[in-house]
Amino acid sequence: MKAKLSSLVFARLIAVAILCVLALDARAQTDPLPSWNDSVAKTAIVDFVKATTTQGSPQFVAAEERIATFDQDGTLWVEKPMYSQVIYCLDRVPAVVKAKPELAEVEPFKTVMSGNREAIARLSMQDLEKILVATLTGMPVDEFRAEAAKWLDTARDPRWKRPYTELTYLPMHEVMQYLRGNGYKTYIVTGGGQDFVRVYAERVYGIPPEQVVGTAGGTKYGYAKDGKPFLTKEPRLLLNDDKAGKPEGIHLMIGRRPVVAFGNSDGDREMLEYTKAGAGARLSMIVMHDDAAREYAYGPAQGLPESKVGTFTQAVYDEAKKDGWVVISMKNDWKRIFAWGP
């Protein structure tokens, strides 16, 4: 009799355990943001999407108006210790010098060719602009795409030894997928080069080239020797898609004010202001890098270390709190940062 009772108790315990596992699995499948901790930030996203996509809701947003914009560097992927596109340009300098040997003794190319990392890190913005012009222009558009794609396939981040395209934030991937699953159209609005980001945006983020708004240079139409037409990248700036250039670029390229916008720095301030200032339901969110163990910590908002890359000042933090932007803490709001790691 005792043996029978023990068997029954054991069977019930197993049944309860199975039900618990199934319940947890079901919850994981229905949770649109499983890499987010249950926090104010996650709740804000889920509540906003429900309110703006539920028929009859006072905050309902028509399908054609569901526009969500995302900064890239520092918002969708790692931007430290230096923007990935700048690293690409520095890596391209030897090829440029080989084609134009006279540049070997000209600054800032001489410093880059020396390989002295400390000296390279001290290059001014004017120096970097010279390097960007030399490495991003003067070639056919198709050749640039091929070179950029090749670099992305082979280059590795010095800290994690992984391709730069693997250093994207899993929680932000989930947000983009969640928004698209609810009828939102997702755009990248970046200070980075539009042509560079378009090389990998669809493969990495699921965002097609026509939904990438970035800093854009001019092109020139011409003909190859065989008569085939092509475009050449020119050293002529059409759009500086940073700070006030972001809402200007949004108007130029998208034609609708975003309902949702995500950024991470002072360079996104105007985009977040522009989004929040629209009529009806609006959501502006800004990522704060405060997790040195799993990624990086920099600000200087809230006493975080100063940074020239992805600067997030206390003034912008205060504006976020005052105007109802949601501040996302990497340390507190994200269970995981990368798909492959912590």
Side-chain angles (χ1 to χ4, degrees):
M1 187 68 175
K2 285 183 180 179
K4 264 191 176 180
L5 286 172
S6 297
S7 298
L8 285 170
V9 170
F10 182 72
R12 284 177 181 174
L13 287 173
I14 292 295
V16 169
I18 291 171
L19 287 172
C20 288
V21 170
L22 290 173
L24 287 170
D25 186 56
R27 184 181 174 188
Q29 289 178 11
T30 57
D31 184 352
L33 305 174
S35 296
W36 291 70
N37 288 314
D38 292 328
S39 63
V40 170
K42 178 177 180 177
T43 300
I45 296 168
V46 173
D47 288 352
F48 183 85
V49 170
K50 287 180 179 177
T52 56
T53 59
T54 301
Q55 284 283 355
S57 166
Q59 294 181 304
F60 181 76
V61 174
E64 64 272 15
E65 295 292 337
R66 294 178 196 169
I67 303 297
T69 57
F70 294 80
D71 167 59
Q72 186 197 216
D73 294 305
T75 301
L76 296 180
W77 75 354
V78 174
E79 64 184 350
K80 297 284 274 182
M82 192 178 291
Y83 300 119
S84 299
Q85 186 172 355
V86 174
I87 298 172
Y88 164 74
C89 292
L90 292 173
D91 286 351
R92 283 276 299 153
V93 166
V96 171
V97 170
K98 184 178 180 180
K100 298 180 179 179
E102 65 273 16
L103 292 177
E105 297 303 316
V106 176
E107 292 294 357
F109 303 97
K110 184 178 179 180
T111 294
V112 176
M113 292 298 291
S114 74
N116 186 328
R117 292 190 176 186
E118 291 184 2
I120 293 170
R122 291 195 298 270
L123 291 174
S124 67
M125 184 55 67
Q126 189 175 9
D127 289 332
L128 290 175
E129 286 174 357
K130 289 178 182 177
I131 292 169
L132 265 61
V133 167
T135 55
L136 297 176
T137 65
M139 68 194 80
V141 168
D142 291 341
E143 181 183 322
F144 169 79
R145 287 178 185 148
E147 289 292 332
K150 180 181 177 182
W151 182 84
L152 287 162
D153 286 341
T154 57
R156 295 294 183 270
D157 170 81
R159 176 177 174 181
W160 288 288
K161 314 301 181 188
R162 287 179 173 271
Y164 290 92
T165 50
E166 289 185 10
L167 302 183
T168 57
Y169 304 134
L170 180 61
M172 298 306 289
H173 278 280
E174 291 171 357
V175 171
M176 289 187 286
Q177 290 166 5
Y178 181 43
L179 288 168
R180 289 195 289 262
N182 284 275
Y184 275 87
K185 208 168 185 179
T186 53
Y187 290 80
I188 291 175
V189 179
T190 175
Q194 183 168 274
D195 285 346
F196 184 75
V197 180
R198 283 176 170 174
V199 171
Y200 55 85
E202 191 160 28
R203 169 170 55 93
V204 174
Y205 303 117
I207 295 178
E210 64 270 21
Q211 288 170 219
V212 174
V213 181
T215 295
T219 56
K220 185 176 181 180
Y221 187 79
Y223 298 93
K225 291 179 180 178
D226 60 1
K228 186 178 180 179
F230 70 103
L231 292 171
T232 300
K233 291 173 66 64
E234 290 198 313
R236 175 167 51 92
L237 185 65
L238 295 181
L239 172 65
N240 181 11
D241 199 56
D242 193 32
K243 298 183 183 290
K246 290 202 171 188
E248 291 166 3
I250 288 168
H251 172 73
L252 178 68
M253 303 290 286
I254 302 174
R256 296 180 189 272
R257 190 191 296 253
V259 176
V260 184
F262 289 81
N264 81 291
S265 73
D266 287 22
D268 303 308
R269 181 180 201 162
E270 288 83 352
M271 178 173 73
L272 296 171
E273 290 174 339
Y274 181 63
T275 299
K276 193 68 174 176
R282 302 280 158 170
L283 181 64
S284 291
M285 304 191 77
I286 187 163
V287 177
M288 184 164 66
H289 293 258
D290 56 358
D291 195 333
R294 295 188 298 171
E295 202 244 11
Y296 293 97
Y298 54 98
Q302 296 300 94
L304 291 166
E306 293 271 356
S307 176
K308 291 182 180 179
V309 176
T311 306
F312 183 179
T313 61
Q314 186 63 40
V316 169
Y317 181 90
D318 292 341
E319 181 178 355
K321 291 298 185 179
K322 176 177 174 287
D323 292 345
W325 309 353
V326 179
V327 178
I328 299 168
S329 164
M330 278 192 165
K331 185 176 182 179
N332 300 321
D333 291 325
W334 290 356
K335 289 179 185 176
R336 294 174 65 191
I337 291 182
F338 305 113
W340 46 266

